[in-house]
Amino acid sequence: MMYGWYGDGGILGWVVMAVMMLLFWGGVAAVVILLVRSGRAGVGGHSGSSHPPYDDPERILNERFARGEIDANEFNERRMVLRNKP
């Protein structure tokens, strides 16, 4: 005896269950993808950064000067070239 379950849903019950399962797992996958993408947005890119992308060469030049890779004369010359660039 099945205690109240007599299979009255028929094929429609199975179709509804399959659709609901697909919606559930699709929602879980969408949440996971959104979480992974939002966690990766600030890593290595300019998303969320207030600096425009054209500031990169000057930032790199400043870092090289700070590390001592180039001297003050070379730093000033390269900065002038970068700022006068069209």
Side-chain angles (χ1 to χ4, degrees), residues 14-28:
W14 286 99
V15 170
V16 170
M17 279 195 307
V19 168
M20 295 304 278
M21 186 184 310
L22 287 173
L23 288 174
F24 173 76
W25 287 112
V28 169

Side-chain angles (χ1 to χ4, degrees), residues 59-73:
R59 181 184 52 80
I60 293 169
L61 183 63
N62 291 336
E63 289 174 0
R64 289 187 63 200
F65 180 66
R67 285 192 299 258
E69 294 178 9
I70 57 176
D71 62 354
N73 291 334

